[in-house]
Amino acid sequence: MLAGIKSQGTDFYQPGASGEAAEIGDEALYAGLRPYLEWLQRRSSKLPLAPLDPSGRDSELIGLNDVFIALDIDKLGQTKLSDGGDAVFSAATGHLHEQKQLVLLGDPGSGKSTLLRYLSLCLCNALLEPEGEWLGQLHWTVREQQEEGRDAFRTPGDKEKVEQRQWQASGLVPVLIQLRDFARQGFAAEDGNVIWQYLSGHLTREGQGETIAALEKLASQNRLFFMFDGVDEVPPEERKRVWGAIGAFQNSPYGGNRWAATCRILSFVEKELPRRHLPVATLQKLDQEQIDRFIENWYRALQGKEEMTAVDAANKIARLQDASRGYLHELAQNPMLLTIMA
């Protein structure tokens, strides 16, 4: 074991982290899984624009992959540079990669659900299209950790060290659970099987019942990523029980799988968590660079669909970017409100 850890690092003992562990191998298992991956990929790829555009037109024209921008959280993750130096990162994608469990908080419209859907989309496509470099889209920047006061002694040639990271935990299969739907059923919060039972029933109703056996085998190998979306959408009197069900699941035979849960800040009660010291992070508002990138992605996507000319797209990009620096700046920091503007 020590030799394996020395040669492979954390890849040796983290399921799904190495290329070898990512191999599904069993062709029958993969064949059983493919319909599920295609079904979830279709669901994850759509932008949820129905409340913003009742016609549904933009939902068909623009996909999540066209406009998604990486989000940051309020805490710095710790890592190492290639030269061994200390480094930090704030990207939500990086934290989801490094933390086996994560509670993700945010304001309404801050991108919590969208982040999970994008992660689900990339993980599905990475298995459906192994040569498609989908894991490379889950990337983030790490920066040299600065000692206090060091900036004052920097010389013009002493540049901050910056490196890029990308998702390495290949072979993970996403499982997206809408907690508002889960909470509608009667369940015993202390039952470690109740989440799996709900998932099995949900997939059966969605015509994916034949994939349950394949998912169950992967769950026994800790190769699923459970995404519990929307604790805040559960009635307040039921939220503690939902957290209890997540805690019971974590203590079940499938409790070694990764999971992340989302909740609005004002609906989060820390003492309701299933155990102490669970990692909790809050999504940050968009900065101007992120705002500019989203606006450009949006109109370039419409241009690519031949919905507008290159000149019209450039004009709209310039106008909205200018407004986002002025009287619309505070609103534009919220991804949902920025989408409404676009």
Side-chain angles (χ1 to χ4, degrees):
M1 289 179 65
L2 291 175
I5 293 171
K6 184 176 181 180
S7 64
Q8 299 180 38
T10 57
D11 287 355
F12 181 76
Y13 57 84
Q14 288 183 347
S18 68
E20 182 178 357
E23 292 293 334
I24 289 184
D26 186 343
E27 293 183 4
L29 175 63
Y30 183 77
L33 192 63
R34 189 174 187 88
Y36 166 81
L37 292 171
E38 292 175 339
W39 169 77
L40 187 56
Q41 186 268 354
R42 290 191 298 271
R43 292 170 64 94
S44 301
S45 64
K46 295 181 180 179
L47 274 178
L49 297 180
L52 312 182
D53 175 27
S55 73
R57 177 171 172 75
D58 281 344
S59 302
E60 298 299 325
L61 290 174
I62 299 179
L64 179 56
N65 193 50
D66 293 324
V67 297
F68 180 81
I69 52 173
L71 302 172
D72 294 312
I73 66 169
D74 62 339
K75 296 181 180 179
L76 292 177
Q78 305 288 327
T79 188
K80 293 288 185 180
L81 294 168
S82 56
D83 63 4
D86 292 330
V88 294
F89 61 92
S90 60
T93 303
H95 283 268
L96 285 165
H97 182 273
E98 298 299 321
Q99 301 282 3
K100 196 168 183 180
Q101 296 93 32
L102 183 64
V103 178
L104 193 63
L105 307 180
D107 290 323
S110 60
K112 304 179 295 299
S113 299
T114 302
L115 174 60
L116 291 187
R117 280 197 303 275
Y118 185 73
L119 179 58
S120 172
L121 173 66
C122 291
L123 293 179
C124 284
N125 282 336
L127 290 168
L128 291 169
E129 306 170 20
E131 306 302 322
E133 300 296 330
W134 281 95
L135 295 184
Q137 295 200 36
L138 299 171
H139 58 83
W140 61 95
T141 301
V142 302
R143 301 181 181 278
E144 178 185 12
Q145 187 171 18
Q146 298 300 322
E147 300 174 8
E148 187 175 354
R150 181 177 174 183
D151 284 345
F153 300 97
R154 281 186 180 276
T155 65
D158 185 18
K159 295 183 178 180
E160 179 186 41
K161 295 179 181 178
V162 176
E163 294 180 358
Q164 299 298 313
R165 297 284 191 274
Q166 74 170 55
W167 195 273
Q168 297 296 325
S170 57
L172 286 173
V173 176
V175 175
L176 189 58
I177 294 180
Q178 299 293 337
L179 291 176
R180 65 175 180 270
D181 298 329
F182 168 75
R184 288 194 185 108
Q185 64 169 7
F187 64 92
E190 68 279 2
D191 185 353
N193 292 320
V194 69
I195 287 178
W196 187 264
Q197 290 169 356
Y198 165 78
L199 176 64
S200 298
H202 174 68
L203 291 178
T204 299
R205 291 189 295 273
E206 293 288 338
Q208 298 298 319
E210 294 182 0
T211 67
I212 294 172
L215 287 172
E216 191 168 8
K217 184 173 182 179
L218 290 173
S220 68
Q221 300 170 357
N222 296 337
R223 287 157 64 185
L224 300 186
F225 194 146
F226 286 84
M227 302 176 185
F228 301 114
D229 191 26
V231 174
D232 54 279
E233 297 181 14
V234 174
E237 65 274 11
E238 293 291 318
R239 290 172 191 161
K240 185 176 181 179
R241 296 182 68 245
V242 166
W243 282 121
I246 293 174
F249 173 76
Q250 193 171 345
N251 293 324
S252 76
Y254 300 145
N257 290 279
R258 288 173 178 251
W259 64 264
T262 67
C263 185
R264 289 184 180 181
I265 296 171
L266 294 180
S267 301
F268 177 65
V269 180
E270 187 172 10
K271 66 181 181 181
E272 293 181 348
L273 290 177
R275 65 178 177 85
R276 298 177 61 188
H277 309 304
L278 272 175
V280 179
T282 303
L283 286 176
Q284 298 287 77
K285 295 179 179 179
L286 300 180
D287 60 26
Q288 192 61 51
E289 181 181 351
Q290 292 168 317
I291 292 171
D292 288 345
R293 193 181 313 126
F294 175 88
I295 294 169
E296 183 164 359
N297 287 350
W298 184 278
Y299 289 110
R300 292 305 179 197
L302 289 175
Q303 177 191 341
K305 302 292 194 303
E306 298 184 348
E307 289 296 310
M308 61 180 60
T309 66
V311 173
D312 286 341
N315 288 337
K316 289 181 179 293
I317 289 169
R319 287 177 58 197
L320 189 48
Q321 286 180 344
D322 286 346
S324 73
R325 286 176 166 80
Y327 71 101
L328 291 179
H329 178 69
E330 185 174 353
L331 299 178
Q333 293 176 298
N334 180 284
M336 182 181 69
L337 297 181
L338 183 58
T339 302
I340 293 173
M341 295 176 198

